[in-house]
Amino acid sequence: MKFTRDQVQFTVDETRCERCRLCAAICPGRVFSWVDETIAVNQPARCIGCGHCVAICPTGAFDHRALAREKFLEADGDRGIDRQQLSQWFLRRRSCRLFTDELLSKQTLEQLIDQARYAPTPTNSRNVRFLVLNDKEAIGQLARWTTAYYLRLERRLANPLIRLAISMTVGFKTVRAYRYHFPMIAEVFRDTQNGEDRLFYGAPAVIIACASGMPHIAVASCNQSAMQLMLAAEAAELGTCFNGYALTALFRRKNIRKKIGIPQGYTPGAVLAVGRPKALFKCIPPRNRCRVIWPEIGES
């Protein structure tokens, strides 16, 4: 979010300012600085509109012209989140593949998205958009388009010449992995084609996150928003499932993106099935140990 030069103006209430200089220190663009006891604008064009300068002021003395102080939400001063409870919150979140028939209201879905919009985005771009499918026909249509994409891919991988051409693009290892797993994948889509929803599992809503900008940055923005939305759903006693199949079809096929309503120039980065879980998990499955690399990088 960029501002014109005339928008990057601010006022400091001299009677409330404690001269802590946190506003200048927290600014990622080094837009302004303190000279003696006076604050000055250095690079107004570098303002990304993050609002940190206003948010960090301990006395509310700082006000940004484009980010009026009265529009900010008050933060709870207590940051004491119980670590064990937070850990359990992360661990107990599971992908839901068993939904009830309960429909979700537009208000409920908007509340989830409202919380997701506070997720971080690179350079504070805030460029994520959400498409919401909340009727069976629309969700079914996306399932049919995704199914057609994968069954076509199955036929293409059976052709050695096409398989070689695809390998030159995505790599031989990826193609070998696809061929190994494809019988199971194809079964999912044949079942879906025959009326058994093995793609969205009967979820009453599907939320698609897409973002503008460079594709790899756009996908990162979508993923962060999606994770925040999934945790918000957990708090609302709702289940979610990140759907990589539908995401791949949307990412690879421009015509599907166009038909589903993703704006031109936007990259899909997350597809989430959302609904009320039919059953709750009673324990947490084990996971592999985290693999961490601690490189020792010397002078080159």
Side-chain angles (χ1 to χ4, degrees):
M1 184 177 181
K2 302 297 182 183
F3 298 120
T4 58
R5 183 178 295 269
D6 66 317
Q7 286 180 300
V8 186
Q9 296 178 7
F10 48 82
T11 57
V12 176
D13 186 337
E14 297 285 343
T15 63
R16 300 167 71 182
C17 178
E18 296 180 341
R19 304 299 193 276
C20 64
R21 307 190 180 197
L22 287 173
C23 51
I26 202 68
C27 177
R30 297 188 176 180
V31 173
F32 41 78
S33 62
W34 281 83
V35 179
D36 295 328
E37 295 299 306
T38 304
I39 191 168
V41 175
N42 297 328
Q43 301 285 346
R46 292 184 180 181
C47 180
I48 64 172
C50 63
H52 287 177
C53 53
V54 178
I56 203 167
C57 182
T59 62
F62 198 99
D63 198 11
H64 192 298
R65 176 178 175 180
L67 299 163
R69 181 68 177 80
E70 60 268 18
K71 293 183 179 180
F72 282 60
L73 300 176
E74 291 302 322
D76 186 347
D78 182 13
R79 296 192 65 183
I81 301 175
D82 185 277
R83 186 173 180 175
Q84 186 172 357
Q85 286 182 332
L86 183 62
S87 177
Q88 280 292 310
W89 194 260
F90 291 147
L91 294 176
R92 78 183 189 193
R93 196 217 63 79
R94 313 296 311 158
S95 294
C96 180
R97 295 181 176 88
L98 198 62
F99 295 98
T100 69
D101 295 329
E102 179 185 340
L103 299 178
L104 300 182
S105 68
K106 184 178 179 181
Q107 181 184 14
T108 296
L109 294 169
E110 287 180 340
Q111 285 174 344
L112 297 180
I113 292 171
D114 186 64
Q115 291 174 302
R117 70 188 175 96
Y118 284 94
T121 53
T123 68
N124 194 45
S125 55
R126 286 180 275 173
N127 56 344
V128 181
R129 290 189 183 185
F130 298 92
L131 283 77
V132 182
L133 310 180
N134 63 341
D135 67 83
K136 292 293 184 181
E137 179 54 36
I139 296 171
Q141 191 63 266
L142 178 58
R144 287 189 286 274
W145 291 331
T146 303
T147 296
Y149 167 81
Y150 276 94
L151 294 182
R152 179 175 179 267
L153 180 59
E154 181 191 33
R155 294 191 297 271
R156 297 185 72 193
L157 288 175
N159 186 315
L161 293 178
I162 295 179
R163 192 162 64 242
L164 177 62
I166 295 174
S167 298
M168 300 299 290
T169 304
V170 301
F172 289 93
K173 185 176 181 180
T174 300
V175 171
R176 283 196 299 269
Y178 255 105
R179 290 200 72 200
Y180 177 79
H181 292 290
F182 223 94
M184 181 185 70
I185 295 173
E187 180 183 302
V188 168
F189 290 103
R190 289 197 180 91
D191 288 344
T192 299
Q193 193 175 47
N194 292 329
E196 181 185 356
D197 186 3
R198 294 188 62 191
L199 192 60
F200 299 116
Y201 310 101
V206 171
I207 298 177
I208 302 169
C210 59
S212 58
M214 293 182 289
H216 66 291
I217 297 295
V219 169
S221 297
C222 291
N223 273 273
Q224 293 187 101
S225 295
M227 189 67 235
Q228 196 141 315
L229 191 151
M230 287 190 285
L231 291 174
E234 183 76 18
E237 299 183 343
L238 297 173
T240 57
C241 187
F242 192 110
N243 194 296
Y245 289 135
L247 176 60
T248 300
L250 285 167
F251 191 87
R252 297 289 184 186
R253 302 295 294 178
K254 182 178 179 179
N255 65 321
I256 301 180
R257 294 198 299 274
K258 184 177 181 180
K259 287 188 287 189
I260 208 69
I262 294 177
Q264 186 174 356
Y266 277 71
T267 301
V271 179
L272 303 176
V274 186
R276 188 77 60 189
K278 189 175 287 187
L280 299 178
F281 294 96
K282 306 303 180 185
C283 56
I284 299 168
R287 285 290 181 262
N288 294 336
R289 290 179 63 87
C290 186
R291 290 170 287 186
V292 182
I293 298 174
W294 301 87
E296 295 183 6
I297 303 175
E299 294 183 5
S300 58

